[in-house]
Amino acid sequence: MYSALSSLRTLSVFNLLRAFTPFQTDVLKTLALAAMLADHVNTVLLHGSHSLLYAAGRMAFPLFTLVWAANLPAAGTKLQRQAMRLWLWAFITQPVFWLAFMGSGQSWLALNILFLFAGCTQLLSWQARYGTNGIMAGIALLLLLAWPLTPSGCGLNSMLFALMCVAGFRFAPLSDSLLFMAALLLALVAQQIYSTPSSMTDISIINVGLAALLFLPVAIGFVSAVPRVLFRRVWPSRFFIMQTSVIYC
């Protein structure tokens, strides 16, 4: 029984990602990019009519979030620099986001997902520099961002999932905890269902929730099976923000 539990802990999403080579991490980024491109094609060009592309697009958010959380620096000064880069790219890409999605009924008040990553990174930076006061200021910032992020499916549920991913990478007891992994998957299901368009039927919404339980372990497992090439990359090492800006905006 003990050996079975130990093997399950080894298969934790966080432990697997920690062991990824740069090449494997880039393969994971490529999967996320392909999923987001499928989602955008379905939303913008096909007006949400293709269920397979929609299902594939559901992979993008958790994969991008895991890559973001895995690459966060620990030092407060580095966190602040990363937050500033994310804020900059969030504002630069916002006009593109408006132009791309206003035709599909998106409110002009909606913000793109880089504001979510920027806000969460800012909270962590303030926490590192100012402690409890920084956490309170960061929570207030996220609450302010939650309303304009909700139309794009990146509201409070998405913020909760993102911060849980950070906690999983930073605290070893959580990354080894089966209970925490179950809570993370439930948070992902809630995020996926909450971001599902209201026009979908109840059965379709349930299917989205069930898919959320399956696709993340499948994607991580697929990348784990990729040969561990040590000295080769698909993308430049600091290309995450630009990738997310171009495809996820």
Side-chain angles (χ1 to χ4, degrees), residues 97-108:
F97 178 79
W98 281 332
L99 290 174
F101 290 98
M102 284 185 68
S104 60
Q106 186 82 278
S107 169
W108 67 273

Side-chain angles (χ1 to χ4, degrees), residues 22 25-30 32-33 64 67-68 71 82 85-86 89 93 114 117 233-248:
T25 301
D26 284 352
V27 172
L28 191 66
K29 292 179 185 179
T30 304
L33 286 166
F64 272 122
V67 171
W68 163 78
N71 288 281
Q82 184 153 331
R85 285 196 295 269
L86 284 164
W89 279 103
T93 57
L114 285 178
F117 291 133
R233 299 196 66 108
V234 177
W235 305 102
S237 59
R238 295 183 180 272
F239 206 47
F240 168 75
I241 295 176
M242 189 173 294
Q243 287 172 308
T244 313
S245 303
V246 172
I247 303 295
Y248 219 141

Side-chain angles (χ1 to χ4, degrees), residues 18-154:
R18 286 193 190 103
F20 278 2
T21 64
F23 177 76
Q24 288 175 308
T25 301
D26 284 352
V27 172
L28 191 66
K29 292 179 185 179
T30 304
L31 283 178
L33 286 166
M36 199 64 250
L37 184 60
D39 184 72
H40 283 9
V41 167
N42 184 49
T43 301
V44 177
L45 301 180
L46 303 178
H47 307 291
S49 62
H50 202 292
S51 58
L52 184 60
L53 290 178
Y54 179 83
R58 298 302 87 198
M59 290 180 59
F61 172 75
L63 294 181
F64 272 122
T65 303
L66 283 168
V67 171
W68 163 78
N71 288 281
L72 282 174
T77 53
K78 292 183 178 179
L79 274 170
Q80 186 56 44
R81 284 199 294 269
Q82 184 153 331
M84 292 303 295
R85 285 196 295 269
L86 284 164
W87 286 120
L88 177 63
W89 279 103
F91 281 105
I92 288 174
T93 57
Q94 186 60 25
V96 180
F97 178 79
W98 281 332
L99 290 174
F101 290 98
M102 284 185 68
S104 60
Q106 186 82 278
S107 169
W108 67 273
L109 294 172
L111 297 177
N112 70 74
I113 194 174
L114 285 178
F115 283 96
L116 182 151
F117 291 133
C120 289
T121 307
Q122 190 66 68
L123 183 154
L124 296 168
S125 171
W126 285 343
Q127 182 272 329
R129 297 172 68 186
Y130 306 117
T132 303
N133 290 336
I135 293 175
M136 299 304 294
I139 290 173
L141 173 64
L142 292 183
L143 290 175
L144 287 174
L145 289 172
W147 179 66
L149 279 169
T150 297
S152 56
C154 300

